[in-house]
Amino acid sequence: MWKIIHLDEVDSTNDYAKSIAEESPEGTVVIAKRQTAGKGRKGRSWASPEGGLWMSVILKPERTDPRLVFVGALAVVDTLADFGIKGWIKWPNDVWVEGKKIAGVLTEGKAEKFVVMGIGLNVNNPVPEGLEREATSMIYHTGMELPLDSVLDRLLFHLGGWYGVYKERPELLVEKLRQRTFILGKAVRVTEDDKTIIGRALDVLDDGSLLLEVGGELRRILYGDVSVRPL
Ligand code: BT5
């Protein structure tokens, strides 16, 4: 299913993948040793020095909905497990290990044409400067360098599996996400642009949205940055 394009350096594998997506088959993967302008959501930057796994997959699903990002997050959690690391998901797109972020997923696309799913996973690279308190890398948990090719192999294997689930039985994807997210039951702050909502995360609904209890009322959140607040 996969056709892999290896690059030494690129601004962003997501931008590169988008530029070739229309004429490329589904399953084309762009991977770079380093990115000079790696991107997070909302224009944030993603530190991408050598040693990490920076890649983007071109997908052409018949339907695209917010649950697609869970495919990437669950595939990262399973990949970490293959290397003996327990990962947890922070809805909707982050993977954390022992209270720190180890990976992020960024999906972008063109309606009805393609989706590019970018995954950044810290593997052998040290934590980016300035993020020492918030981020972590696989090497700190395995105690040794990992061959990036093996990590990529496992990640693509799990991506293929979860993508199949997304297409056939998306409710199962959400079920699995519920089990692997660490925010349920916690007091959270959800920020979207300049709006902030504080409440308790109750559930991830079947459509992928987050159900919050805010001052006794229920609110459905479709998108946002979640941070867990001390009770
Ligand atoms: C994400 O955004 O977590 C999505 C990151 C996706 C990166 C991949 S790499 C391959 C592909 N090509 C791209 O250009 N992007 C994708 P967000 O939830 O907005 O989180 C961004 C925040 O994570 C930043 O503001 C930093 O606080 C933090 N961060 C930046 N670099 C990091 C790193 N290497 N490890 C952990 N946290 C990081």
Side-chain angles (χ1 to χ4, degrees), residues 8-9 32-35 47-54 124-126 148:
D8 278 341
E9 184 172 290
K33 286 190 183 145
R34 5 171 230 287
Q35 298 183 114
S48 321
E50 210 156 319
L53 191 64
W54 324 123
N124 297 322
N125 57 303
L148 274 182

Side-chain angles (χ1 to χ4, degrees), residues 3-220:
K3 178 185 154 234
I4 303 177
I5 301 173
H6 286 275
L7 305 171
D8 278 341
E9 184 172 290
V10 70
D11 48 1
S12 150
T13 55
N14 261 38
D15 288 347
Y16 186 97
K18 281 194 289 181
S19 73
I20 60 165
E22 283 194 50
E23 65 274 13
S24 301
E26 176 165 73
T28 304
V29 180
V30 180
I31 173 160
K33 286 190 183 145
R34 5 171 230 287
Q35 298 183 114
T36 53
K39 301 186 298 183
R41 295 177 300 161
K42 304 255 167 187
R44 289 187 282 248
S45 73
W46 182 260
S48 321
E50 210 156 319
L53 191 64
W54 324 123
M55 60 101 129
S56 301
V57 181
I58 296 169
L59 300 173
K60 304 201 168 175
E62 274 174 21
R63 123 194 97 69
T64 303
D65 68 51
R67 294 172 292 197
L68 187 56
V69 72
F70 303 161
V71 168
L74 285 168
V76 169
V77 166
D78 285 352
T79 302
L80 291 172
D82 290 340
F83 293 93
I85 302 170
K86 183 114 184 164
W88 296 92
I89 295 169
K90 182 160 80 64
W91 179 95
N93 73 314
D94 279 9
V95 181
W96 286 45
V97 173
E98 292 178 10
K100 294 178 171 184
K101 180 163 172 169
I102 199 162
V105 183
L106 174 68
T107 52
E108 301 183 279
K110 189 163 176 187
E112 272 139 53
K113 297 271 189 204
F114 63 81
V115 175
V116 164
M117 179 179 289
I119 299 181
L121 171 61
N122 297 317
V123 181
N124 297 322
N125 57 303
V127 159
E129 222 170 282
L131 294 175
E132 292 82 1
R133 290 177 56 198
E134 297 124 68
T136 188
S137 188
M138 288 177 80
I139 191 167
Y140 300 138
H141 304 276
T142 55
M144 59 176 182
E145 283 215 2
L146 298 170
L148 274 182
D149 278 356
S150 320
V151 182
L152 175 66
D153 268 5
R154 297 314 297 160
L155 187 57
L156 291 178
F157 172 79
H158 294 302
L159 270 178
W162 286 117
Y163 186 47
V165 176
Y166 168 80
K167 287 190 287 188
E168 307 290 329
R169 303 279 307 275
E171 68 286 357
L172 289 185
L173 195 72
V174 176
E175 186 50 44
K176 186 71 182 180
L177 187 101
R178 273 188 202 108
Q179 295 166 14
R180 296 316 296 266
T181 182
F182 62 85
I183 62 172
L184 298 185
K186 302 221 164 82
V188 294
R189 171 187 283 120
V190 185
T191 312
E192 198 199 339
D193 299 325
D194 49 2
K195 274 195 327 226
T196 297
I197 303 173
I198 290 172
R200 184 177 303 274
L202 294 183
D203 201 2
V204 178
L205 301 178
D206 282 344
D207 64 0
S209 59
L210 180 67
L211 185 67
L212 277 194
E213 184 206 315
V214 183
E217 281 180 20
L218 296 181
R219 298 269 289 270
R220 249 178 88 227

